[in-house]
Amino acid sequence: MKKICIGDKFQIQCYKHNGNVHRCWEEAVVLEVNKDYIVCGNNKTLVTRSEGVSWRTREPAIMYFFKNEWYNVIAQLKSDGIYYYCNIATPYILEEDTIKYIDYDLDLRIFPTGEYKILDRMEYKYHKKIMNYSDDLDIAIKNGLDDLINRYKNNSEIFSSDKNYNYYEMYENIKRYNEIHNF
């Protein structure tokens, strides 16, 4: 497998349990690679849903994709602060130039005030039933959500505003360099 380097560009593909593509993001630029996760950034990137509907993201995002955890984290840098959108999902895999994962509906939304909310419980129950999630899968998903909440409550560095703003500055520098050098 090709070594991942800072500045590499990937597409992101999110699937559902039944194997259908749910959403695709046109671009994610690698900002850090470590043993547990990769960090990527994007801004105003094209997102396409499975039905063919497309739009561009409105704000910069810093994304954490984990090798062994059942979630990924998106820090959305909005004008009134950082919002975190955390997907309960499989650990990521890389295939060619694409980051792939399976989304399991439950989401954790963290607001700049520090409050958080678990989203899409009904969607999870519905998909669990119609797609026949196994008991082991159900446990992995619930453990992923619990672990994510604990990471947030324990001030994990992935939820550091300073760190995420620094990643965004790094993203901007990489984009400027690539524009100057026609990459």
Side-chain angles (χ1 to χ4, degrees), residues 3 18 20 51 60 70 114 130 149 153 155 169 171 178:
K3 183 179 180 201
N18 61 9
N20 292 337
E51 309 85 40
W70 279 72
I130 67 165
I149 291 170
K153 288 180 176 178
N155 299 312
E169 187 176 325
Y171 168 79
N178 288 344

Side-chain angles (χ1 to χ4, degrees), residues 23-39:
R23 272 191 190 130
C24 295
W25 287 259
E26 181 179 55
E27 182 180 271
V29 176
V30 176
L31 304 174
E32 182 180 340
V33 181
N34 71 38
K35 67 181 180 65
D36 297 321
Y37 58 87
I38 59 173
V39 181

Side-chain angles (χ1 to χ4, degrees), residues 3-183:
K3 183 179 180 201
I4 306 169
C5 298
I6 292 173
D8 285 351
K9 293 179 188 176
F10 289 92
Q11 184 185 72
I12 302 168
Q13 290 180 352
C14 168
Y15 293 82
K16 287 298 183 182
H17 183 76
N18 61 9
N20 292 337
V21 174
H22 178 56
R23 272 191 190 130
C24 295
W25 287 259
E26 181 179 55
E27 182 180 271
V29 176
V30 176
L31 304 174
E32 182 180 340
V33 181
N34 71 38
K35 67 181 180 65
D36 297 321
Y37 58 87
I38 59 173
V39 181
C40 300
N42 65 25
N43 188 13
K44 296 183 179 22
T45 194
L46 185 66
V47 181
T48 305
R49 286 182 30 182
S50 58
E51 309 85 40
V53 176
S54 296
W55 69 92
R56 290 205 175 270
T57 58
R58 287 182 275 197
E59 64 274 319
I62 303 302
M63 298 156 287
Y64 296 79
F65 295 101
F66 295 86
K67 293 178 182 175
N68 299 306
E69 304 295 346
W70 279 72
Y71 48 81
N72 56 61
V73 175
I74 304 166
Q76 299 169 305
L77 285 62
K78 297 181 180 246
S79 60
D80 62 338
I82 298 180
Y83 291 74
Y84 294 91
Y85 200 93
C86 311
N87 297 293
I88 303 305
T90 59
Y92 79 93
I93 62 168
L94 285 177
E95 286 186 1
E96 298 176 17
D97 292 329
T98 306
I99 297 168
K100 297 180 178 184
Y101 65 91
I102 299 171
D103 177 86
Y104 281 103
D105 312 311
L106 290 174
D107 300 306
L108 181 68
R109 183 72 163 153
I110 302 170
F111 302 91
T113 60
E115 296 174 83
Y116 67 86
K117 185 176 184 179
I118 298 169
L119 305 175
D120 302 327
R121 290 180 198 255
M122 294 305 292
E123 182 180 354
Y124 174 74
K125 286 180 183 178
Y126 173 71
H127 283 150
K128 179 183 173 186
K129 183 176 181 178
I130 67 165
M131 292 189 216
N132 298 313
Y133 296 175
S134 70
D135 290 341
D136 288 344
L137 179 58
D138 187 54
I139 290 167
I141 291 165
K142 289 176 179 170
N143 286 344
L145 179 60
D146 289 344
D147 183 47
L148 184 60
I149 291 170
N150 286 330
R151 269 186 110 143
Y152 173 64
K153 288 180 176 178
N154 290 314
N155 299 312
S156 171
E157 68 177 3
I158 61 176
F159 298 109
S160 162
S161 294
D162 288 345
K163 189 164 187 82
N164 285 303
Y165 284 119
N166 287 340
Y167 278 133
Y168 180 61
E169 187 176 325
M170 178 188 271
Y171 168 79
E172 287 285 293
N173 288 336
I174 290 170
K175 292 296 280 185
R176 268 194 297 281
Y177 179 88
N178 288 344
E179 286 173 10
I180 291 168
H181 294 89
N182 296 317
F183 286 124

